Amino acid sequence: MSSEEADPTDFSVVSTLLAAIEKGDMDEVRRCFAPGALTWHNFDEIEQDVHDMTAMLGHLCALSTSRSYEDRRITTVGSQAFLQYTLTAALHSGGRFRMPAMMRLEIDSDGLVARIEEYFDSRVLDSLAKAS
């Protein structure tokens, strides 16, 4: 592939987004998203806007002392990034949250996340409900 045919998509926003979630910095998380961006989860098939998605992540941050994206595997195709990972968190209750998942992110021409589709077993959320 010549440099003229190379996909110009900048995927640095993916690392920025994951680092912001690990730090619990919801302002930085919001800055990673394009206006009108949506997130969809397989367990409820509902699209969430950035406000609702950061509220859900904020809840995880409030229940935990630390978060980490472990075993990251990222593949990029065109303007999409496919991630396989395990999100872990140390909970204030002393427990540990562990969520193996996959995610597809669409990156727009400005290098921002335009859409996320995340796939995981919703039963892992039970441990968060118990910690609330």
Side-chain angles (χ1 to χ4, degrees), residues 9-63:
T9 302
D10 176 0
F11 290 99
S12 62
V13 71
V14 175
S15 296
T16 301
L17 175 62
L18 298 181
I21 294 168
E22 288 178 336
K23 290 185 295 188
D25 185 344
M26 292 303 107
D27 289 334
E28 182 70 15
V29 168
R30 283 190 270 296
R31 286 191 290 273
C32 292
F33 286 88
L38 295 171
T39 298
W40 175 91
H41 296 104
N42 67 298
F43 66 89
D44 61 7
E45 299 185 46
I46 295 172
E47 292 181 324
Q48 292 182 311
D49 62 16
V50 173
H51 173 78
D52 290 341
M53 185 269 305
T54 54
M56 187 174 71
L57 284 172
H59 181 67
L60 171 63
C61 293
L63 294 173

Side-chain angles (χ1 to χ4, degrees), residues 86-101:
T86 302
L87 174 58
T88 63
L91 302 177
H92 287 293
S93 65
R96 183 167 167 88
F97 175 74
R98 184 176 182 281
M99 183 181 83

Side-chain angles (χ1 to χ4, degrees), residues 71-85:
D71 306 319
R72 295 182 198 186
R73 287 176 244 157
I74 301 174
T75 301
T76 60
V77 178
S79 62
Q80 299 178 76
F82 296 86
L83 286 75
Q84 183 176 355
Y85 57 89

